[in-house]
Amino acid sequence: MKNRQPRLGLFCSTHDGILSTNRTIRLASLATDKVIEVATKNLEDFPKIIEFCYEKNITMFRLGNSIVPFASHQKFDKNVWEVLKPLFEVGKNSNKEKNIRLTIHPGQFIQLGSKNPKVVESSLAELRYCCDILDLLDAKDGVITLHLGGTNGDRKATMERFFEVFTKNIWLGKYLALENDEYNFTASETLEVANRCGIGMIFDIFHHSINQSEITWEEIKKSWKEKRPKVHISSQGDGKVGHHADFINEEEFLNLQKFLGDDFFEVDIMIEAKKKEEAIEKIQNLY
DNA sequence: CTGAGTCAAGCTCAA
DNA sequence: TTGAGCTTGACTCAG
């Protein structure tokens, strides 16, 4: 009888790069044919990755944000969606039984708390796209992972603007969750906004170790209500602070286990390590 | 085929 | 005021 395994997540692609949902193009080469070609490759790999995760006992997968490249860009040809529909259908069915939890993580340019209305508008377009992707794959417990963004010189005012944009776009609440970051908003501030919006807070223990605040697991857990909480872990790599390492430091992982207490086996843990599935396997071997 | 340079977007911080 | 760096991968083109 095998010991109980934690619920671990893989992001974007396999380490060897053979399977990927994150192929993209350059804006300069944006054309309908090209988008269809690249998105088709990404979507054809999706069922293979689901199978891969299932076999490796990986319970969560982060889709690449360029799974359909430039989908929220003004110049994007919306007819592409019609062409891709059958591929989404296949993808959806491939995960029907396996129930790998799906997530997506838009980039640092998504700033709902920005002072610039144009930035907010394009951020909403990108989040709408993320939502559509999860809908098309019927990701019932899907998560869009987002940071609060820059502080814009006044963190309280930025938090307030974020909340106001959220209340005007309630559809965001279906999948959105907020993650603490290593430079700007601490876990405690992030939780405060998540609670006001009534959405989950993703606790990143690595960011928390760099950008500290007072916080307990119990209060984070509450923000998820009936949903299964999701957390992130990565370790410091060589070079600059914040760089991800190839693997997860064993001691740090055990610290996360301690932090989560009795909930450890019930929480989804995204493993942000460059060696991806190899790093996951190393952790699985601990249990 | 390979390696170096570059890539939509915002924001922060150092110079 | 400007520009590198963020997180990191992956495209693109020169050679």
Side-chain angles (χ1 to χ4, degrees), chain A residues 5-204:
Chain A
Q5 284 285 340
R7 304 178 57 92
L8 305 177
L10 174 77
F11 67 99
C12 299
S13 54
T14 51
H15 172 54
D16 53 26
I18 292 172
L19 298 176
S20 174
T21 58
N22 207 25
R23 297 175 187 90
T24 187
I25 56 171
R26 292 284 103 101
L27 179 58
S29 49
L30 178 58
T32 305
D33 290 355
K34 190 98 182 168
V35 170
I36 291 172
E37 185 192 322
V38 171
T40 298
K41 280 187 189 156
N42 285 337
L43 287 165
E44 281 176 350
D45 274 359
F46 175 74
K48 296 179 195 164
I49 289 180
I50 291 298
E51 184 63 32
F52 177 88
C53 289
Y54 186 73
E55 279 173 12
K56 302 253 173 193
N57 204 10
I58 293 168
T59 56
M60 177 164 64
F61 177 66
R62 177 191 299 169
L63 299 156
N65 21 346
S66 55
I67 188 161
V68 181
F70 291 96
S72 74
H73 195 276
Q74 283 203 335
K75 289 184 187 159
F76 182 79
D77 176 1
K78 291 193 166 51
N79 295 316
V80 165
W81 290 113
E82 213 41 53
V83 178
L84 297 178
K85 231 177 195 172
L87 288 162
F88 276 105
E89 203 59 27
V90 172
K92 179 173 96 179
N93 290 329
S94 76
N95 198 23
K96 212 170 225 167
E97 306 282 306
K98 302 197 167 69
N99 281 319
I100 307 293
R101 189 178 200 182
L102 300 179
T103 81
I104 191 162
H105 193 348
Q108 74 260 47
F109 304 106
I110 309 310
Q111 302 274 342
L112 289 187
S114 174
K115 288 181 198 169
N116 183 342
K118 283 209 173 115
V119 172
V120 176
E121 194 186 332
S122 55
S123 296
L124 283 168
E126 180 73 4
L127 290 166
R128 183 69 256 175
Y129 149 72
C130 292
C131 231
D132 290 344
I133 294 288
L134 293 177
D135 279 345
L136 284 164
L137 293 171
D138 196 26
K140 290 198 179 63
D141 55 357
V143 177
I144 297 173
T145 302
L146 187 68
H147 293 290
L148 275 168
T151 57
N152 303 290
D154 183 343
R155 44 217 308 132
K156 286 282 166 206
T158 299
M159 288 157 82
E160 195 60 38
R161 276 196 302 273
F162 186 102
F163 173 69
E164 271 166 27
V165 169
F166 181 88
T167 53
K168 284 182 200 145
N169 296 275
I170 283 301
W171 54 270
L172 285 166
K174 184 169 182 186
Y175 298 117
L176 199 69
L178 281 175
E179 180 192 349
N180 58 307
D181 69 84
E182 72 267 54
Y183 296 118
N184 302 317
F185 291 100
T186 62
S188 156
E189 289 169 316
T190 305
L191 180 64
E192 184 186 326
V193 179
N195 280 337
R196 281 187 78 187
C197 296
I199 60 180
M201 186 255 170
I202 297 167
F203 179 68
D204 186 310

